[in-house]
Every structure is written in C-alpha cells, then in structure tokens.
Amino acid sequence: MHKYKRTVLVVAVIIFLFSPPVWAGEKPVSLTNLMSIVQKEYVHQIPRATLAGGAISGMQLYLKLRGEDYGFLKEPKLKLTDDNADQILDESYNEVLKHYPTTPEEGLSRAGIRGMMTVLSDPYSFYMTPEQYKDLMEEMQTSSFAGAGILIELDRNRHDQLTVVEPIEGSPADRAGLKAHDMILEIDGKSTQGITLEKAQVLIRGEKGSKVVFKIKRPSAGIIFNVTITRDDIITKAVYSKMIYGVIGYIKLRFFGENTGDELAGAIASLRKQGAQGFILDLRNNGGGYISSAIEVTSQLLSSGSKVVSVEERNAPVEIFVSKPNLNYRYPFVVLMNRNSASASEITAASLQEYGRSKLIGERSYGKASVQRIFPLADKSAVKLTIARYLTPSGAYIHNRGIIPDIPIPDNSHAYGYVSDKVVETAVNELKTEIRSERGKTETLNELVYKIENMKCPGCSENMQILEDRLELKNGEFYENIVYGCPKENVIKHITIKRLELISGNYKIKSSTGVNRQGR
C-alpha cells in the first residue's frame, strides 16, 4: 500500500477522489473477468498480457510466502501474449490448485488481484480486503465506531513514522490531550516501526470502554510520554462548525462523503442565524472523497451554473460539472488548505480561487487530479481503479503540482481551528476586511432573502423557500432572478430586480402573481 495514505481511525482512507461504487456482480469475479474490467475502465490502456503476468506474479509471491515451490509458473508466464493471456492465467491458477489441493482459493485469488494491481504502478489503484472496504464505506456514509478518534498518517518526512494528523474534536484522543504532529511510537507496548495504517487501525480499535495505551513523542516539546485512552463511540461527521470572533463562521470539512453537502448547508444556515457575516472553510488535512460531494459543496459557494470541474475518461467525451442553484455564494468566504488537502478539496479550492470567489490561505495543496471508482467484489472485497483525470475550471491539470495559495503561511499549528492557529488568525483578518467592504453591497440582498424565507405560504402556513437564484446580464445591466415558493403546496413565484436598484435599496418587487411589494 502506498505510503501517502492516512486514515481517520478506525477507517482506512487514502487521499482520493472517487465516484460511487459500481458492483461487479453477484458471483465471484474471476481473474480473467477482472482483467476485462481493468482494460475497460482504467484511465490508460494496459495490455492484457501485462495484467495476466502481474496476476501470475502475485500467485508466485503467495506460494513463496507459504514456503511452497512456484517454479512451475515461470514457463507459462514467458509465453504470455494478449491473445492467450486468459487461457494461460486460468491454466496457471488451476495448476496451483492441482499442485497444492489445500491452497485456500480465496487467498490465491486475492494474491492474483494484488499482483494485477501492482503492474499498474498507480498508488491510487489497489485491492481492498472486505474489512478495509467496509471501513472506507462506513466513513464515507458518516457512520460511528468505537475508537480513539484521531486522524493519522505515515509521515513521509519522518521515514513513514505513524503520526497524528489531528484528533477529532471532543473525542477521547482530544480529551487526552493528543495533538497534531504527535508521533505514535508504540501502541499497547508494540512498536509502530514499519507498521501499516491497517495494522495500526486494528491495534487501536476496540470495544467501547476498553483502554489503549500510546507511547507518544512530541517533537515540538522534545518529550516522550505514555497516555492511556478509554475508547468511546466516535461520530465521523464530515462537518464541524462554530462561531469565532463574534461575526465569523468557522467550518471544517474533514472529508467529502455522501452527506457532506447537506451537513455543510446546515452548518452555513446555523451560523448565519448566529450572526455570521463571513465564513472560513477549512480544508486542511482533507484528503477528498466523492466527486459528487465536491460538486454539492462547491455549488453552495459559487454562483449558479458556474463550471466547477471537467472530467476526462479514456474513450469518453469530456464531462463538465457545473454548480447548482444557491444563495450562499454572496457571503464572504476564505479557504484554508495545506499539503494534505487533496483531490475533492483541490477541486473546491481551485474553483473558488479561479473565479475570484475566495482567497486561499496556507500551504500548497497535495496535487491529486485523478478520479477513482470502486468495483466491489462478491466476497465483499473491492478494487479501486483510476478511471479519469480532472481539470480545474480554467483547464489546469494540477496532478503532482498542487494549488498555490494566495496567502502562503506554513501550517505548523498544533490546534487547528482555535485562536492560537496562525492560519485561522490570518483568515479572520482577511475576512473582516472583506466584510467591511461588502457589507453595503450585500445588506439589501440579505434583507430580501430574509423577508422571503420568512413569508408564509397561504395554503399551509409553512415558510417559503428559495428554490433558485441567478444573476443575469441583460442589455448591459445585471438582474437578480429569484424563484421561491412552497414545494408542499406547489406554489412557485418569481422575482426579477435590477442589481443596482437592489444595492441602493430603492426597488419594487413584482412577483409572477402580479402582487407588488415596496422595498425599503
């Protein structure tokens, strides 16, 4: 597994962007059938002989680790061509079972799959065991689990040392005082040297109420100490939010899961009711998630119909995703990112930056511009394949390059989201300036939105809802086109106002029902 992974314990998550899973079928997928999936779906064309050779190599390694002879597989591998790849692979598989009748077919098949993934030389395409796949899906669906509540990684700058990225707010690890950048040297007395994230996950996971002991090295203080943590239920919500400095809404996105868009909308609405006049969107250490979730998130921050991202698949037309109707884009936003902000985080950050919607503050992002799709297998394991690459709204390909922030600041904070966080402090100062300059321009629109959202439906007395908002240019003037109504009673109304009249406050609202309402 590739060393840039990181995970929210106890769910294995790789820096990723992927579309929803596509089921491979109910029956066990043979290695030859899996070759067909890879050839059809993978972003690059891979010769069938290459895939079959990888699968046979995987089986050879499996036999070697079991202490069994595998020499009889060498000759068939030398005869591989694209035309005979299926036949030789099937024959090699059956030959192993013939030589060693007690060989577990499940283990042999998985070894072949891993070998096939290896020849792709793609850190984002790999095999997942049933446990790994289950854990990944649980996190993306915002489930709960019993554990310590920390985001961890194998730090590439510290020889893959198991390291805390950050504790989840309110978790046992947070209450115990663990901090970002803490190095985990031991778990229950077992050294973490050379450990995988999957193994660390198993060691830290446990029953609610049970205890786990960490040996921690804190580089910032130059100390080593033990800490005992009592495991508890951890809710892996994607969004955490709070008010800071009286007028700023702070929103942290941990990942882009199935419900992230709804969670973000709820957070924005709640913070607005608390008086937020500007927002910080913290994407630091957010490794990505579903591409559909990235569209849902950016749709709440850009004007309706804005191009968000283009996805290029092999042998397929370019697919362009645009933002959906919303109103939140009118409020000042700044975005925080660091070297661990990847994939869906970069889609969001790039689109906001390129449209001039938000300044980016922090470090250059990770640089992952590929799209993966999960193909679940019948034994509840799965393979994840890179199926496409994406481009930012301007057409930039940021893979292995990342996004350069507007205001670069090293992210060496140990307490993300708090007043001691220099990146957040910079964002707050930037927002206050924007709020002062934008207040006069947006005040009347905000008042109008407030009035509409507090209108009562004549049929059911429920509050009206904003259904769509567009800013259009007609005959050299900008117009606000707002659609609102009550879906329950199927009441729909339309409002069109000149932008300059709206800003001045001297406007009349004429709805599609013909009713006139005088502005202030």
Side-chain angles (χ1 to χ4, degrees):
M1 302 295 287
H2 113 96
K3 67 179 181 180
Y4 302 147
K5 289 189 309 181
R6 47 196 183 49
T7 176
V8 174
L9 284 176
V10 286
V11 180
V13 177
I14 294 180
I15 294 178
F16 55 92
L17 172 70
F18 55 76
S19 54
V22 174
W23 290 96
E26 294 182 358
K27 295 181 179 181
V29 178
S30 69
L31 293 175
T32 52
N33 285 342
L34 183 57
M35 282 201 302
S36 297
I37 293 174
V38 175
Q39 277 211 306
K40 178 182 178 182
E41 302 290 346
Y42 190 61
V43 66
H44 303 301
Q45 180 68 49
I46 306 296
R48 209 166 181 84
T50 300
L51 296 173
I56 294 174
S57 294
M59 291 189 288
Q60 288 177 315
L61 179 60
Y62 180 71
L63 293 177
K64 179 180 179 180
L65 294 175
R66 288 170 58 89
E68 296 168 335
D69 177 62
Y70 56 90
F72 60 91
L73 291 177
K74 293 181 179 179
E75 185 176 348
K77 187 176 175 182
L78 295 175
K79 298 179 180 179
L80 279 170
T81 67
D82 287 345
D83 292 332
N84 66 16
D86 292 49
Q87 178 184 347
I88 288 182
L89 179 55
D90 282 339
E91 289 176 351
S92 298
Y93 184 89
N94 292 327
E95 194 67 22
V96 173
L97 298 179
K98 180 180 177 181
H99 274 70
Y100 306 106
T102 60
T103 299
E105 283 201 57
E106 182 181 82
L108 183 63
S109 176
R110 291 180 180 180
I113 295 172
R114 287 192 176 97
M116 198 182 302
M117 295 297 101
T118 298
V119 299
L120 299 179
S121 298
D122 179 356
Y124 305 110
S125 295
F126 52 86
Y127 170 77
M128 289 181 282
T129 66
E131 295 75 21
Q132 291 166 348
Y133 175 54
K134 176 177 176 291
D135 287 343
L136 178 60
M137 290 299 100
E138 281 181 352
E139 181 183 352
M140 298 314 297
Q141 294 164 6
T142 317
S143 295
S144 63
F145 54 85
I150 49 178
L151 185 70
I152 65 171
E153 68 176 343
L154 299 179
D155 192 339
R156 56 186 170 183
N157 296 319
R158 293 174 176 164
H159 306 290
D160 291 344
Q161 172 63 53
L162 187 65
T163 303
V164 176
V165 175
E166 64 178 344
I168 295 174
E169 293 85 353
S171 69
D174 188 30
R175 294 193 295 269
L178 289 189
K179 298 182 181 239
H181 312 301
D182 280 348
M183 300 164 65
I184 303 175
L185 304 181
E186 294 180 2
I187 303 172
D188 283 336
K190 297 179 180 179
S191 172
T192 60
Q193 185 175 2
I195 199 171
T196 64
L197 289 179
E198 291 76 18
K199 180 64 174 176
Q201 170 181 311
V202 170
L203 292 176
I204 298 176
R205 189 172 196 163
E207 294 293 328
K208 179 180 178 180
S210 62
K211 298 183 184 298
V212 58
V213 180
F214 295 102
K215 185 175 184 179
I216 300 294
K217 179 178 181 180
R218 182 163 293 165
S220 61
I223 58 175
I224 296 178
F225 59 94
N226 288 336
V227 59
T228 300
I229 293 177
T230 301
R231 298 180 178 96
D232 201 353
D233 290 333
I234 308 298
I235 306 299
T236 59
K237 286 187 174 296
V239 178
Y240 165 77
S241 64
K242 65 178 180 179
M243 288 291 293
I244 58 176
Y245 293 91
V247 295
I248 306 297
Y250 170 84
I251 303 172
K252 183 172 184 61
L253 260 63
R254 294 193 181 95
F255 56 87
F256 288 77
E258 287 187 350
N259 303 316
T260 303
D262 291 339
E263 288 185 39
L264 176 62
I268 292 175
S270 175
L271 293 170
R272 282 175 56 187
K273 288 180 180 179
Q274 296 176 59
Q277 298 178 31
F279 297 87
I280 294 172
L281 184 65
D282 193 344
L283 299 178
R284 292 175 296 177
N285 300 314
N286 184 323
Y290 293 128
I291 188 170
S292 56
S293 177
I295 303 305
E296 292 289 340
V297 167
T298 51
S299 290
Q300 298 182 53
L301 307 175
L302 292 174
S303 58
S304 306
S306 300
K307 181 180 177 182
V308 175
V309 66
S310 301
V311 176
E312 297 181 343
E313 291 189 50
R314 179 167 58 90
N315 300 324
V318 175
E319 188 171 9
I320 298 175
F321 294 88
V322 299
S323 59
K324 300 176 182 179
N326 74 91
L327 278 178
N328 294 326
Y329 73 88
R330 303 191 180 284
Y331 293 85
F333 266 88
V334 294
V335 174
L336 313 185
M337 64 181 191
N338 65 6
R339 63 186 182 277
N340 291 325
S341 303
S343 204
S345 292
E346 292 174 298
I347 286 178
T348 302
S351 58
L352 295 177
Q353 183 187 54
E354 291 183 2
Y355 281 109
R357 173 65 180 87
S358 170
K359 288 186 178 179
L360 307 184
I361 301 175
E363 300 174 335
R364 182 194 291 260
S365 63
Y366 185 87
K368 178 182 179 294
S370 60
V371 182
Q372 284 69 43
R373 176 172 293 159
I374 292 178
F375 296 85
L377 308 180
D379 66 349
K380 298 184 180 180
S381 66
V383 293
K384 188 194 290 189
L385 295 175
T386 298
I387 61 166
R389 71 171 193 163
Y390 74 77
L391 306 177
T392 69
S394 68
Y397 182 53
I398 63 165
H399 201 67
N400 294 329
R401 297 175 183 151
I403 303 168
I404 299 175
D406 299 293
I407 304 176
I409 299 178
D411 185 19
N412 54 8
S413 167
H414 292 280
Y416 297 145
Y418 296 91
V419 293
S420 60
D421 188 333
K422 298 300 181 184
V423 181
V424 170
E425 288 180 353
T426 302
V428 168
N429 291 330
E430 185 67 28
L431 267 181
K432 285 183 176 179
T433 301
E434 290 190 29
I435 289 171
R436 283 193 292 268
S437 63
E438 291 293 323
R439 181 172 288 160
K441 299 179 183 178
T442 61
E443 189 175 53
T444 52
L445 177 61
N446 294 342
E447 290 176 357
L448 173 60
V449 170
Y450 179 80
K451 289 177 183 178
I452 292 174
E453 291 178 340
N454 284 275
M455 290 179 182
K456 300 295 183 181
C457 172
C460 67
S461 297
E462 295 286 338
N463 283 357
M464 291 291 196
Q465 298 179 25
I466 302 290
L467 304 177
E468 185 177 4
D469 171 62
R470 296 190 309 275
L471 184 63
E472 295 182 350
L473 181 63
K474 295 181 180 179
N475 300 321
E477 291 190 90
F478 283 104
Y479 288 79
E480 296 285 347
N481 291 287
I482 300 175
V483 179
Y484 69 98
C486 176
K488 184 175 180 181
E489 295 291 326
N490 199 27
V491 175
I492 305 295
K493 296 188 177 184
H494 303 263
I495 295 175
T496 300
I497 310 173
K498 286 185 178 181
R499 178 68 167 164
L500 290 176
E501 292 177 354
L502 180 62
I503 293 174
S504 68
N506 183 25
Y507 62 87
K508 290 184 178 181
I509 305 174
K510 184 176 182 180
S511 71
S512 59
T513 60
V515 178
N516 290 300
R517 300 183 181 88
Q518 179 68 43
R520 67 173 187 173

